[in-house]
Amino acid sequence: MKIYYIKYPKKTTVILILIIIIAIILLGMLVNHSISTFKTNDPIYKGDANSKKIAFACNVAWGNEYIPKMLEIFKSNNIKITFFFEGQWAEKNPEIVRQIATVGHEIASHGYTHVKYTQWSREKYAADISKAGDVLFKITGKKPNLFAPPYGDFNDDVVKTAEDLGYKVILWSLDTIDWSNPGVNNIIDRVVKKAHNGAIVLMHPTKGTVEALPTMIKELESKGYEITSVSNVLK
């Protein structure tokens, strides 16, 4: 009669298996912790992917001469967008800010000073964000709740600080790069060809953007998009 013996794993093998299992469990816990905790300070790049809306976000720290024409184009197309104002610029041009607010566009903050916050201390950029909000409140009677960091420059501390001060931090998913004077057709293509639900389109008051807007608006609307403010594309 042949006798069969059951071979049990060696003790070292059992220990190794247990270590692997524990490591997998710990890794899973870390991933879940990262998702739920570390990602709470992410900026917002786009809005609701289930809604066929696109937001125009215009950062303003210069370009006064092009703003009246932009407003005329938006008015003729019954469009309200979001203007992110630099505080220093707003202080020098309160009537323009007030006019834009009065006709129904959303007013938001671009900080008081156009610098890279990651090169400043937390105390300094916190004061800068607060000062911009105070300036815009004084002009419009309403404190903004959206903030676009200058140069799109941020880190976790910048985002957390802005959130602690009552702001949603806004970036973009489509960039006209209009400040580099790429040409009207390039500005249009960068938006229209890559248009998607909930997109946030970054622009500035430039000659190229003013010339591109009528065609851009027409083509986006022909695709079924509603052009609106940042708050209106967010869930």
Side-chain angles (χ1 to χ4, degrees):
M1 178 178 177
K2 191 172 182 180
I3 299 175
Y4 294 91
Y5 295 94
I6 299 174
K7 292 184 178 180
Y8 292 97
K10 292 182 180 180
K11 186 176 181 180
T12 54
T13 304
V14 173
I15 293 173
L16 181 60
I17 292 171
L18 287 173
I19 290 173
I20 292 172
I21 292 171
I22 292 170
I24 292 172
I25 293 171
L26 289 174
L27 181 61
M29 291 173 63
L30 179 60
V31 169
N32 288 334
H33 181 66
S34 298
I35 292 171
S36 63
T37 304
F38 299 158
K39 295 299 182 182
T40 57
N41 296 324
D42 280 351
I44 297 169
Y45 293 87
K46 57 185 178 179
D48 185 0
N50 297 313
S51 181
K52 207 167 179 64
K53 295 180 180 180
I54 287 182
F56 282 1
C58 186
N59 288 358
V60 183
W62 36 262
N64 304 36
E65 65 270 34
Y66 301 112
I67 292 177
K69 184 60 178 178
M70 290 183 78
L71 294 177
E72 181 184 318
I73 293 169
F74 292 139
K75 181 180 179 180
S76 65
N77 287 278
N78 194 28
I79 289 171
K80 300 293 190 292
I81 75 161
T82 303
F83 285 88
F84 290 83
F85 292 108
E86 179 202 69
Q88 288 186 119
W89 184 92
E91 273 187 329
K92 296 174 184 176
N93 302 277
E95 289 305 321
I96 298 178
V97 177
R98 194 173 294 114
Q99 176 195 0
I100 290 172
T102 299
V103 298
H105 293 288
E106 183 173 38
I107 305 301
S109 172
H110 197 34
Y112 183 80
T113 312
H114 206 263
V115 299
K116 293 184 177 181
Y117 281 177
T118 57
Q119 297 177 0
W120 275 8
S121 69
R122 185 170 187 167
E123 291 74 18
K124 193 170 182 180
Y125 59 69
D128 198 80
I129 295 171
S130 293
K131 188 172 183 179
D134 292 343
V135 167
L136 293 173
F137 176 77
K138 184 177 180 181
I139 295 171
T140 68
K142 183 178 179 181
K143 183 192 172 187
N145 61 3
L146 302 179
F147 165 70
Y151 297 103
D153 178 64
F154 71 95
N155 56 27
D156 287 348
D157 284 340
V158 170
V159 177
K160 186 176 187 308
T161 299
E163 289 179 346
D164 288 345
L165 291 169
Y167 293 91
K168 293 184 179 73
V169 178
I170 306 298
L171 290 179
W172 59 87
S173 60
L174 296 177
D175 190 353
T176 61
I177 318 180
D178 51 7
W179 52 268
S180 67
N181 300 315
V184 174
N185 289 335
N186 284 328
I187 292 174
I188 294 169
D189 287 348
R190 282 171 179 158
V191 176
V192 175
K193 288 185 176 180
K194 297 180 180 179
H196 58 87
N197 289 3
I200 297 176
V201 181
L202 175 63
M203 62 182 61
H204 303 81
T206 67
K207 181 176 183 291
T209 291
V210 167
E211 293 176 354
L213 276 173
T215 301
M216 189 190 304
I217 291 169
K218 182 180 179 180
E219 293 197 19
L220 288 174
E221 290 185 339
S222 72
K223 291 175 178 285
Y225 289 104
E226 175 190 348
I227 300 169
T228 185
S229 66
V230 172
S231 286
N232 279 339
V233 302
L234 303 182
K235 281 188 177 181

